[in-house]
């Protein structure tokens, strides 16, 4: 039997009046206020304890597949292809290596979608009815994709965003699963009960027993190579917004404020400086909120170092500030100093921004492009004419004389001697 809602071809749930799970069919969770489907032989959804649970000592996460373990403890079946760590589909392999059911169109070997016997290209699933749109149609009876109004919409006043889960609300208005960590309002990840910051979702499977959140389908965290990377030559940052570039190289969404090229934040088209993103809830504070606490760093927002008595912000996905070992460390052999910028090296071993003065390799100062020695020869971030006498580092005494750079009213720098 199929769902009786117009344009919905999903199977009708058992014990319902010809409705699929998305449209209200089947048994529902008995937890107060929850409308998610109950799982297995229980009367609760996965979030509220229903379904089969992981049997590993002290773990209560949902078990995966036919195993009695969760994803973290090895319950999911992985692809048998050498070097591949994606999930196996129906067979011993992932979709990319031939697993799962295949399209029955003659000569086609692509993966099937939904309950059809054809792939997407050969008509295995319905397309959006909007002219020129090739996205997949969603439930809701209008035959359109989510971008054009298909699927369930948020019931919050004047909100037209897609609803999440069975809550009838979008993520911004509290829809979908929420993190159960005290005072955290972020969305829970996958089938877990927590957000990525508090242990939810898939974890990195690096041989070093890393516990950071895995990015994308790589099963690796950011530090160990997970996620898609910027295509700019030599750049190892994450690409943003499907552009193939990181934020520094032009990727992601940009602020719409005239003349501003900073990155736009969620819930708006502007950067933090121009009002984009969540704002601090402390009275009279215009700063952006950090983390899921609703406050800026100065008013207690964001993640803080766990060392007793330290109130500095934790860095780089760790539980500690830079002074107490948090953040990325220099990759130079035997060095444990904090790394600077995307170079993965500390200042002493070539990391961070360098002086733009020709032939100088010293670190640049804060907010400028030159080191301390050469910043005295800079006017409006441009190098002025430097006399031949100062090709040696300035301020070096020679036979009792110290050379001092002096700027006149026209912005011209000259070097004058003075005796010690």
């Amino acid at each position: 039997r199929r769902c009786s809602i117009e344009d919905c071809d999903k199977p009708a749930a058992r014990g319902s009046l010809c409705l699929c799970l998305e449209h209200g069919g089947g048994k529902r969770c008995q937890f107060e206020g929850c409308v998610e489907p109950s799982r297995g032989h229980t009367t609760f959804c996965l979030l509220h304890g229903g379904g089969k649970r992981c049997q590993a000592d002290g773990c209560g996460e949902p078990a995966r597949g036919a195993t009695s373990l969760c994803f973290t403890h090895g319950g999911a079946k992985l692809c048998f292809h050498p070097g591949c760590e994606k999930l196996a589909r129906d067979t011993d392999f992932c979709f990319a290596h031939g697993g799962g059911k295949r399209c029955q169109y003659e000569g086609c070997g692509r993966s099937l979608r939904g309950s059809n016997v054809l792939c997407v290209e050969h008509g295995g699933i319905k397309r959006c009815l909007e002219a020129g749109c090739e996205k997949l149609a969603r439930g809701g009876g209008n035959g359109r994709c989510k971008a054009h109004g298909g699927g369930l919409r948020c019931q919050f006043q004047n909100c037209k965003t897609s609803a999440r889960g069975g809550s009838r609300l979008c993520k911004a208005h509290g829809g979908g699963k929420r993190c159960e960590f005290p005072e955290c309002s972020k969305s829970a990840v996958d089938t877990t009960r927590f957000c990525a910051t508090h242990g939810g979702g898939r974890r990195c499977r690096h041989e070093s027993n890393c516990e950071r959140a895995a990015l994308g389908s790589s099963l690796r965290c950011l530090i160990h190579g997970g996620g898609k990377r910027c295509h700019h030559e030599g750049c190892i940052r994450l690409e943003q917004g499907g552009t193939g570039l990181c934020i520094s190289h032009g990727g992601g969404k940009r602020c719409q404020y005239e003349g501003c090229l900073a990155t736009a934040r969620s819930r708006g088209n502007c950067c933090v400086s121009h009002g984009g993103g969540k704002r601090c809830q402390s009275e009279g504070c215009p700063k952006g909120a950090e983390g899921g606490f609703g406050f800026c760093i100065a008013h207690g927002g964001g993640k803080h170092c766990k060392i007793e008595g330290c109130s500095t912000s934790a860095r780089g996905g760790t539980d500690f500030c830079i002074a107490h070992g948090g953040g990325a460390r220099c990759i130079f052999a035997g060095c444990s100093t904090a790394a600077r910028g995307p170079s993965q090296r500390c200042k002493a071993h070539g990391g961070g921004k360098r002086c733009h003065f020709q032939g100088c390799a010293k670190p640049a100062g804060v907010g400028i492009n030159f080191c301390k020695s050469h910043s005295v020869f800079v006017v409006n971030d441009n190098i002025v004419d430097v006399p031949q006498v100062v090709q040696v580092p300035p301020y070096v005494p020679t036979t009792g004389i110290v050379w001092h750079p002096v700027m006149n009213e026209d912005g011209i720098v000259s070097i004058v001697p003075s005796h010690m």
Side-chain angles (χ1 to χ4, degrees), residues 142-171:
N142 59 7
R144 285 174 167 77
C145 65
K146 285 187 177 182
H148 291 120
L152 297 175
R153 316 308 286 184
C154 178
Q155 301 300 304
F156 194 86
Q157 187 177 6
N158 297 327
C159 181
K160 298 180 181 180
T161 312
S162 297
R164 305 298 290 266
S167 61
R168 307 286 177 174
L169 296 173
C170 66
K171 184 185 293 187

Side-chain angles (χ1 to χ4, degrees), residues 95 98-113 116-125 127:
F95 282 135
K101 297 178 181 178
R102 297 285 148 173
C103 176
Q104 296 183 12
Y105 191 88
E106 185 177 358
C108 180
R110 295 185 179 90
S111 301
L112 298 181
R113 289 299 184 92
N116 299 283
V117 294
L118 298 173
C119 65
V120 172
E121 184 172 340
H122 292 121
I125 201 165
R127 298 283 179 175

Side-chain angles (χ1 to χ4, degrees), residues 230 239-254 261 263:
C230 177
E239 67 97 12
Q240 298 288 333
T243 59
L245 297 172
C246 66
I247 291 177
S248 299
H249 291 121
K253 188 179 179 182
R254 296 287 152 174
L261 298 177
T263 305

Side-chain angles (χ1 to χ4, degrees), residues 375-382 384 404-416:
S375 62
V376 293
F377 303 119
V378 179
V379 178
N380 295 330
D381 211 31
N382 294 315
V384 299
H404 292 277
V406 177
M407 183 184 298
N408 62 20
E409 296 179 354
D410 298 324
I412 304 299
V413 174
S414 58
I415 306 300
V416 296

Side-chain angles (χ1 to χ4, degrees), residues 22 25 27 80 95 107 118 131 137 172 174 183 199 213 234 247 257 268 270 293 298 300 307 337 375:
E22 184 177 342
K27 297 185 297 181
F80 279 18
F95 282 135
L118 298 173
E183 299 183 5
I247 291 177
Y257 193 86
C270 296
F293 300 99
I307 294 296
T337 310
S375 62

